[in-house]
Amino acid sequence: MMFMVALVLPEAFDTFRILRNETVPVGQRSMPWMEAEGSIGGRGYRILRIGHPQYKKRDEFIRLVCDWVNATAPMQEASS
């Protein structure tokens, strides 16, 4: 299933470039972790494809995802 997702995901974008494709340790397991960038209609996107953490060390994996979002998300000005 993971192989199929890796083939289909680039098809959703006009451009698609993998920046990092590996596994990350979560407790005693290794979880898939792919960072990429792509564009649709001239608008750029940062992409993170991960495995489902299920039950073991879920909080640790969620922290990794949140850290990635916080590190890559552009700062938005608050509208008044």
Side-chain angles (χ1 to χ4, degrees), residues 17 42 45 59:
R17 182 170 69 109
Y45 295 91
D59 292 340

Side-chain angles (χ1 to χ4, degrees), residues 54-72:
Q54 296 181 7
Y55 301 107
K56 296 190 179 214
K57 302 288 185 179
R58 184 178 69 185
D59 292 340
E60 181 181 336
F61 194 59
I62 290 170
R63 183 188 52 75
L64 289 172
V65 173
C66 290
D67 289 348
W68 182 86
V69 169
N70 288 329
T72 61

Side-chain angles (χ1 to χ4, degrees), residues 3 8 12 14-15 19 29 36 39 41 45-47 60 70 75-76 80:
F3 178 70
V8 174
D14 297 333
T15 64
L19 304 173
R29 299 184 64 191
S39 68
Y45 295 91
R46 294 180 184 108
I47 302 147
E60 181 181 336
N70 288 329
M75 296 296 293
Q76 301 289 324
S80 31

Side-chain angles (χ1 to χ4, degrees), residues 9-54:
L9 187 60
E11 298 296 321
F13 294 88
D14 297 333
T15 64
F16 186 86
R17 182 170 69 109
I18 295 173
L19 304 173
R20 179 179 170 195
N21 192 14
E22 56 193 45
T23 58
V24 294
V26 178
Q28 294 181 355
R29 299 184 64 191
S30 292
M31 300 294 293
W33 185 279
M34 184 188 74
E35 298 176 23
E37 59 187 16
S39 68
I40 299 173
R43 182 171 180 163
Y45 295 91
R46 294 180 184 108
I47 302 147
L48 178 63
R49 183 190 56 84
I50 58 173
H52 191 284
Q54 296 181 7

